[in-house]
Amino acid sequence: MDISVSGPPRRPGLALALLAFAQFVVALDYNIVYVALPDIGRELGFTAQSLQWVVSAYAVGFGGFLLFGGRIVDRFGPRRTFVLGLALFGLSCLAGGFAATPEALVAARAIQGLGAALLTPATLTLINTSFAEGAERNRALSVWGAAGSGGLAAGALLGGVVTNAWGWQWVLFLLVPLALVAAAAARPVLASDTDRATDGGGFDVAGAILATAGSSLLVLGLVSGPEVGWNSLRGAGALIAGLVLLAVFVVVENRTADPLIPLRLFGNRSLITAIAVILVFQSALGGAYYLFTTYLQDVLGYNALQAGLAFVPLTLVSMAASLKLTGALLGRWGVRTTLFVGMLVNGIGMVLLAVGMATGASFWTVLTGLLVWGLGGGLTFPAMFVAAASGVAPGEQGVASALATTSQQIGGAIGLAVLVAIANAGLDLHPGAAPAPTAIVEGLRVALWTGGIASMAGGLLAFLLKRQPKASQDVTTSRENTDEIGVAAD
């Protein structure tokens, strides 16, 4: 028996506020843990090599279980899955805060990733089924994207403040009440899940196992390669094994009456194009965040809190672009042009950021690039997910959202591996070596140029989308709903 949302919520503004808050919490976690890593390593006894697993365990759990989570959404209902995802996320944060060994913290972070893998497709499904396709959904996804940008900024700031004041444990404890309060609010705020009879097919257990194992190994290989080497068992070995399992998964799905991922979804040109754009965009974005942080701390000498503050202009511009520009441009230009312009501006911003980097420079020399980069990201992020949801049936929104988000996770891992490798190509990284600041800057600039050019080229993929009528006239439709959404956003 499949599950679907019964209809739009009675108070769409309040529902959107809750869904945006859930995205804020997930994004908050992305940055809040980064600044606490040195303290975590010292107190729990991580080695320099094993410390990255505090981040990587979450990435493997998140990226590995997304396809499974998407189908859970479609089978058992987005509201139920939303609550389950938040509960797992919150309780695993609690367990992580009390962890006394590296193994306990890594396990908690992996379960936290599983919670996010259930929560993210559930959130997107609730947006895509609660708000009508067109101006109303565009507006909702813009608010959702802006909340994610706000979470990234808040994470960078709170991570430094909380770690300095109370210790690293509180970067995880802080997330517990946020997640559990959101879970408790779901029942009175979100539309209920209603059963929808199907042909009686069962859950695709074989597909779920293959997809989860294949995706997990693929992400494991991507996040491990830079650390242990691409010719190692955990690098190339995991990548090859993951790709083989995913190939077997496709064969199994083609022969299964009730597949985990209906292969007809791959005939949806909007979805496939959106997945490709998301892969390129996140590859550039994920690596560039790391590169800019490296510049701030290793070249300009910023501490964790100062580095977090440096991201505030980027985030504010990105939030403003998502809230105030993306919806209007989607209505005026359509998805194709909006996506192309967003990716183009995003790439130009990265190039300008690279041009402004120099030893002995100040933050002000990179501010222009940072603002342009934020503008492009704010335009692109909601538009990608608008494209991914176009033309997908309500009962398959969960797995479509999971496919798009899986592309996002894999793209981030690929971008980090490739751009960091480019940045480090000319450096002496032997133990005890101290690369010259000029060499560090040169590597960072080459890597940012590469990411910027890739983003601009990736924008051309947007023209593979089907041309759709401009939806400017839809801006005035569903006036009651959009007015309430606007109240929530403001």
Side-chain angles (χ1 to χ4, degrees), residues 361-417:
S362 70
F363 173 72
W364 305 108
T365 64
V366 296
L367 182 59
T368 299
L370 205 62
L371 296 178
V372 175
W373 182 25
L375 175 62
L379 291 176
T380 302
F381 194 80
M384 296 187 307
F385 287 93
V386 168
S390 298
V392 177
E396 293 173 345
Q397 283 286 351
V399 72
S401 298
L403 283 168
T405 312
T406 299
S407 176
Q408 184 184 7
Q409 293 300 307
I410 291 173
I414 291 173
L416 187 61

Side-chain angles (χ1 to χ4, degrees), residues 156-356:
L157 291 173
L158 287 174
V161 172
V162 170
T163 302
N164 290 336
W166 301 307
W168 68 265
Q169 294 88 345
W170 282 91
V171 302
L172 293 173
F173 288 152
L174 180 67
L175 297 170
V176 177
L178 301 181
L180 298 184
V181 166
R187 183 176 180 84
V189 170
L190 301 177
S192 61
D193 301 321
T194 57
D195 296 344
R196 178 166 55 84
T198 64
D199 58 6
F203 190 83
D204 181 14
V205 176
I209 293 172
L210 286 168
T212 301
S215 299
S216 297
L217 285 169
L218 187 61
V219 176
L220 173 63
L222 288 169
V223 300
S224 299
E227 175 204 0
V228 300
W230 293 106
N231 59 347
S232 66
L233 181 63
R234 217 168 78 200
L239 278 174
I240 293 170
L243 290 172
V244 169
L245 287 178
L246 290 175
V248 174
F249 166 73
V250 172
V251 173
V252 169
E253 295 299 275
N254 198 39
R255 299 181 178 183
T256 302
D258 193 26
L260 185 77
I261 299 176
L263 295 184
R264 64 178 174 275
L265 284 176
F266 293 101
N268 183 326
R269 199 161 85 186
S270 292
L271 175 60
I272 297 306
T273 301
I275 287 172
V277 172
I278 290 169
L279 187 71
V280 175
F281 174 78
Q282 197 65 34
S283 294
L285 182 71
Y289 261 74
Y290 179 88
L291 297 175
F292 185 55
T293 302
T294 301
Y295 174 72
L296 293 172
Q297 295 185 320
D298 293 355
V299 178
L300 298 187
Y302 284 17
N303 61 31
L305 183 56
Q306 289 172 323
L309 286 168
F311 275 94
V312 171
L314 164 74
T315 304
L316 292 178
V317 170
S318 182
M319 290 179 66
S322 290
L323 281 173
K324 302 299 183 182
L325 282 179
T326 305
L329 293 182
L330 285 168
R332 182 179 297 274
W333 292 346
V335 178
R336 293 180 1 146
T337 304
T338 303
L339 257 184
F340 170 71
V341 170
M343 290 285 283
L344 180 66
V345 174
N346 186 71
I348 292 172
M350 292 176 66
V351 170
L352 289 174
L353 191 64
V355 171

Side-chain angles (χ1 to χ4, degrees), residues 62-129:
F62 192 2
F65 281 91
L66 270 168
L67 296 177
F68 174 74
R71 195 54 176 153
I72 289 291
V73 170
D74 292 334
R75 278 300 203 173
F76 301 107
R79 193 178 75 174
R80 293 184 185 117
T81 311
F82 180 84
V83 172
L84 176 60
L86 280 168
L88 273 177
F89 189 91
L91 294 175
S92 60
C93 287
L94 185 65
F98 283 117
T101 65
E103 294 79 10
L105 181 56
V106 168
R109 289 286 288 166
I111 297 171
Q112 195 180 342
L114 170 60
L118 297 174
L119 175 61
T120 300
T123 301
L124 282 166
T125 298
L126 285 162
I127 290 175
N128 292 330
T129 55

